[in-house]
Amino acid sequence: MNPFSNPPRIMVQTRPQDMRAGIQRLATVVEAELGQSPADGTLWCFVSRDRRKAKMLRYDSGAWCLWYVRLAEGSIRWERDASGAPTVAFDRGQLVCLLAGAPVAEVMRR
């Protein structure tokens, strides 16, 4: 399963997440802290405190999938969201740019 294969939504959590978290803990974060259903097909992206790692969680076709991304160089450039929103909606192209280390402000303009 490919994380970018037509998810209905892509949501990035704006608060750093512990990368030791597994599927169950990340699904609990989506449900308890964000008030969303983790099993609705949405691709959820969580970024580490050091912004060098990310985990993506998705439930699709009756199975949970967890992808781990670790940047070889640089970091995910994340500025504080002035609105204080717990999540930001992205499209596939924006997420790819974010995980490649492009500045979030630049990614959001695209």
Side-chain angles (χ1 to χ4, degrees):
M1 181 184 308
N2 181 335
F4 305 111
S5 62
N6 302 321
R9 293 186 310 161
I10 298 173
M11 301 298 289
V12 178
Q13 184 182 27
T14 57
R15 197 188 72 179
Q17 184 63 45
D18 185 351
M19 289 295 109
R20 296 175 291 181
I23 291 172
Q24 187 62 46
R25 188 158 142 206
L26 293 174
T28 300
V29 167
V30 171
E31 196 167 35
E33 293 181 21
L34 304 175
Q36 302 285 322
S37 171
D40 67 359
T42 298
L43 176 64
W44 294 94
C45 183
F46 304 90
V47 179
S48 67
R49 182 167 313 221
D50 69 1
R51 298 177 299 165
R52 293 186 53 132
K53 299 173 278 296
K55 282 192 174 180
M56 294 179 290
L57 175 71
R58 185 171 179 208
Y59 184 82
D60 190 31
S61 303
W64 287 100
C65 295
L66 183 67
W67 294 271
Y68 179 76
V69 177
R70 181 173 179 249
L71 297 180
E73 296 179 8
S75 65
I76 297 169
R77 299 185 196 177
W78 191 265
E79 295 88 19
R80 292 222 180 254
D81 182 19
S83 71
T87 58
V88 177
F90 277 35
D91 64 28
R92 284 189 294 179
Q94 290 171 324
L95 183 61
V96 169
C97 290
L98 176 73
L99 296 176
V104 171
E106 181 180 319
V107 169
M108 293 303 287
R109 281 194 300 263
R110 292 182 182 174

